[in-house]
Amino acid sequence: MALPGSLRRQPTNRGLVSHCTHHHIVVFLLTFFSYSLLHASRKTFSNVKVSISSQWTPSCLNSTAPELRPYELWNSSHLFPNAEEATLFLGTLDTIFLFSYAVGLFVSGIVGDRLNLRWVLSFGMCSSALVVFFFGTLTEWLHFYNKWFYCCLWVVNGLLQSTGWPCVVAVMGNWFGKAGRGFVFGLWSACASVGNILGAFLASCVLRYGYEYAFLVTASVQFAGGVIVFFGLLTSPKEVGLPELGADEDDGVEEDANRPLMDDDDADDDDRNYSIQATDTDSQPKAIGFFQACCLPGVVLYSLAYACLKLVNYSFFFWLPFYLSNNFGWKEAEADQLSIWYDVGGIIGGTIQGLISDVLQKRAPVLAISLLFAVGSLFGYSRSPNSKPINAVIMAITGFFIGGPSNMISSAISADLGRQDLVRGSSEALATVTGIVDGTGSIGAAVGQYLVSLIQENLGWMWVFYFFILMTSSTILFISPLIVREVKLLLHERRLRVLAE
């Protein structure tokens, strides 16, 4: 008894290797490091906040600085009367950036599907580098300090940085099909964590000369990366004469390898060989509209789920070092080094869980199991003892079960959603769908930073972790219809295989 094509297990890794060329490797590396550089510039701002706060307050209030007279001459250019107000303003800049970044993601996805992805990505990288240079370097060299100017620059920076993720995911989606997509995207999504480490390294190397040089170095490297992307990135295989994904559908194995995991497998193969858009290989596919993209199966559910999950993930990114110092009394430098283990766990989790989802050819059940373990790991981490080795181990486990699903939704699943059968013949849906998913997630992350500080100040850290558990559970709730459907499909496939034996 022959199994339907959609139920045959395909050698995903072998298919991936057999169709991998040096162009695939170059695309992987260029998109990986382009987004790493964008994240590095964000991390620089986080790493130099203490230095900025010190510079923006009167020198006579800094215990390590000599008191200079006359007071008006030496302190007339400072923005804030004390460090507390300066720190509050820096936190406000974080919120401004996240909200503008979230709004920009919705727009950037639409723009990326209508213009050349390479142009949009390189423009965003180079322009953002210039804004970072103006914000941190030029203003300090000119001794120009103005709160409204800083806010405007950071709004523009958030909008420009938002061009990165939709474009790189769309390019990767054009080059890598379903064959090993979960594994490849899980490994590739480590770019954000690598960017965090790179930004911390670059800033630490020059910070002793002044915080303005940290911004100068990261902005220069990012601008150079944008130039390399403009001249070196290939946005799709057709640019070098290779077949596009799904072009060789006469090959059953390749057809299954490139069929997105978001298909409705309840229908027979004969009933599925259609698209609501006629495929015309001679014409340029039209980009899908914003509301059309929102109506695609799974887009709204995964967007809402990602809003809850990114809130938790970004809260760890922004608050983990502070929590370690505040709760355990550890030195700031030690807390910064220890917090890296959360990123390490996320990198490993995204790769392994992506590989498992490739084998099962289903994403939602893998996410559900990981998030259930995440609830337990959050509860355990909230009661971690005052021991750095134990804390690092539980932190890595927490990152594995939270960072892994977060990386999978923002990369592999976004690519699946953007390459459904309903948009076959219109590959220009990838950036729009990615922008919707990540934009909704960024709104959740922006709101979450305010809520975390509010809960911590009034109720304590334990209630912050209860809040994280609630948001993680809400993630499972939002994708529960997809979980039920895909579990039913897995059981149906198993019954068919038993009958075929």
Side-chain angles (χ1 to χ4, degrees):
M1 178 178 176
L3 288 175
S6 62
L7 301 181
R8 292 192 294 269
R9 284 282 182 262
Q10 303 300 337
T12 55
N13 290 334
R14 185 175 66 185
L16 174 63
V17 174
S18 64
H19 290 84
C20 184
T21 66
H22 72 281
H23 295 296
H24 290 79
I25 298 174
V26 171
V27 168
F28 184 98
L29 294 176
L30 282 179
T31 53
F32 184 96
F33 284 106
S34 63
Y35 194 72
S36 295
L37 294 177
L38 289 170
H39 241 265
S41 66
R42 300 181 207 173
K43 187 63 175 177
T44 299
F45 179 68
S46 299
N47 288 343
V48 301
K49 281 183 176 179
V50 174
S51 299
I52 293 177
S53 176
S54 176
Q55 181 64 23
W56 286 354
T57 53
S59 58
C60 62
L61 298 180
N62 299 327
S63 59
T64 58
E67 184 174 351
L68 302 174
R69 298 290 182 179
Y71 177 86
E72 294 78 10
L73 174 65
W74 292 101
N75 298 291
S76 60
S77 63
H78 290 97
L79 282 175
F80 304 99
N82 54 63
E84 288 74 17
E85 291 191 23
T87 303
L88 181 62
F89 178 71
L90 291 172
T92 303
L93 287 178
D94 281 334
T95 303
I96 290 174
F97 174 85
L98 283 174
F99 272 113
S100 62
Y101 180 74
V103 172
L105 282 168
F106 294 107
V107 179
S108 298
I110 298 173
V111 173
D113 280 334
R114 284 157 176 77
L115 299 179
N116 189 295
L117 291 167
R118 175 170 56 87
W119 297 350
V120 177
L121 177 59
S122 59
F123 170 78
M125 293 181 67
C126 294
S127 301
S128 172
L130 292 176
V131 171
V132 170
F133 170 75
F134 291 153
F135 177 91
T137 305
L138 189 61
T139 55
E140 180 60 30
W141 285 350
L142 299 177
H143 299 288
F144 177 76
Y145 308 101
N146 185 280
K147 290 185 286 186
W148 292 108
F149 184 69
Y150 286 131
C151 290
C152 292
L153 283 180
W154 233 223
V155 168
V156 175
N157 188 39
L159 295 174
L160 292 173
Q161 287 247 343
S162 68
T163 61
W165 191 251
C167 289
V168 293
V169 171
V171 172
M172 286 289 291
N174 289 338
W175 279 91
F176 295 91
K178 177 182 161 184
R181 178 182 288 162
F183 172 76
V184 171
F185 275 75
L187 184 63
W188 174 83
S189 60
C191 56
S193 299
V194 172
N196 294 337
I197 297 172
L198 178 62
F201 172 75
L202 292 175
S204 63
C205 289
V206 297
L207 188 57
R208 62 180 179 272
Y209 303 110
Y211 76 84
E212 64 270 26
Y213 292 98
F215 285 104
L216 176 63
V217 170
T218 53
S220 300
V221 174
Q222 181 178 310
F223 189 91
V227 174
I228 294 174
V229 165
F230 181 81
F231 289 103
L233 182 62
L234 299 172
T235 60
S236 68
K238 67 180 180 181
E239 292 187 14
V240 288
L242 295 175
E244 291 188 87
L245 295 181
D248 48 351
E249 292 187 354
D250 292 335
D251 185 348
V253 173
E254 184 64 14
E255 178 182 348
D256 275 344
N258 287 328
R259 181 180 292 121
L261 299 190
M262 304 306 301
D263 291 350
D264 185 0
D265 290 334
D266 290 322
D268 294 332
D269 285 358
D270 293 338
D271 296 331
R272 297 172 57 189
N273 294 327
Y274 71 93
S275 171
I276 63 173
Q277 299 186 22
T279 303
D280 185 358
T281 57
D282 297 329
S283 62
Q284 181 70 21
K286 295 182 179 180
I288 193 171
F290 178 83
F291 292 104
Q292 286 178 291
C294 290
C295 292
L296 291 174
V299 171
V300 172
L301 292 178
Y302 271 119
S303 297
L304 295 174
Y306 192 50
C308 299
L309 189 58
K310 193 170 184 177
L311 183 155
V312 179
N313 197 39
Y314 260 54
S315 295
F316 270 89
F317 172 76
F318 282 114
W319 292 96
L320 185 56
F322 180 80
Y323 165 74
L324 295 174
S325 299
N326 181 267
N327 194 57
F328 297 109
W330 298 339
K331 295 181 180 179
E332 187 177 18
E334 296 174 340
D336 289 340
Q337 295 175 358
L338 197 66
S339 65
I340 294 176
W341 286 103
Y342 180 83
D343 287 326
V344 173
I347 294 172
I348 299 173
T351 305
I352 294 179
Q353 292 168 33
L355 180 61
I356 295 173
S357 70
D358 283 340
V359 174
L360 293 177
Q361 298 187 14
K362 300 289 182 292
R363 310 274 193 223
V366 179
L367 287 178
I369 294 174
S370 179
L371 292 172
L372 286 173
F373 280 108
V375 171
S377 65
L378 284 170
F379 185 80
Y381 188 68
S382 66
R383 287 162 171 75
S384 174
N386 193 345
S387 170
K388 294 177 183 176
I390 297 177
N391 193 285
V393 171
I394 304 178
M395 184 191 306
I397 294 174
T398 305
F400 183 95
F401 291 120
I402 294 178
S406 179
N407 291 343
M408 197 188 308
I409 293 177
S410 64
S411 57
I413 289 178
S414 293
D416 290 340
L417 292 168
R419 294 193 66 88
Q420 302 184 55
D421 278 345
L422 292 176
V423 290
R424 184 170 293 172
S426 175
S427 61
E428 285 77 8
L430 284 171
T432 301
V433 170
T434 303
I436 293 171
V437 175
D438 202 30
T440 307
S442 296
I443 292 176
V447 174
Q449 305 319 302
Y450 173 76
L451 293 177
V452 167
S453 61
L454 186 65
I455 295 172
Q456 190 274 329
E457 182 179 355
N458 293 280
L459 299 174
W461 282 111
M462 189 60 64
W463 282 95
V464 171
F465 283 99
Y466 291 152
F467 176 61
F468 290 163
I469 291 173
L470 175 62
M471 290 296 100
T472 305
S473 303
S474 298
T475 304
I476 302 175
L477 180 64
F478 279 123
I479 63 172
S480 57
L482 303 174
I483 297 171
V484 172
R485 195 192 79 173
E486 293 190 6
V487 169
K488 287 181 178 179
L489 290 173
L490 284 173
L491 296 176
H492 179 63
E493 292 174 12
R494 181 179 180 183
R495 287 195 297 269
L496 289 178
R497 289 191 185 89
V498 171
L499 294 175
E501 293 175 355

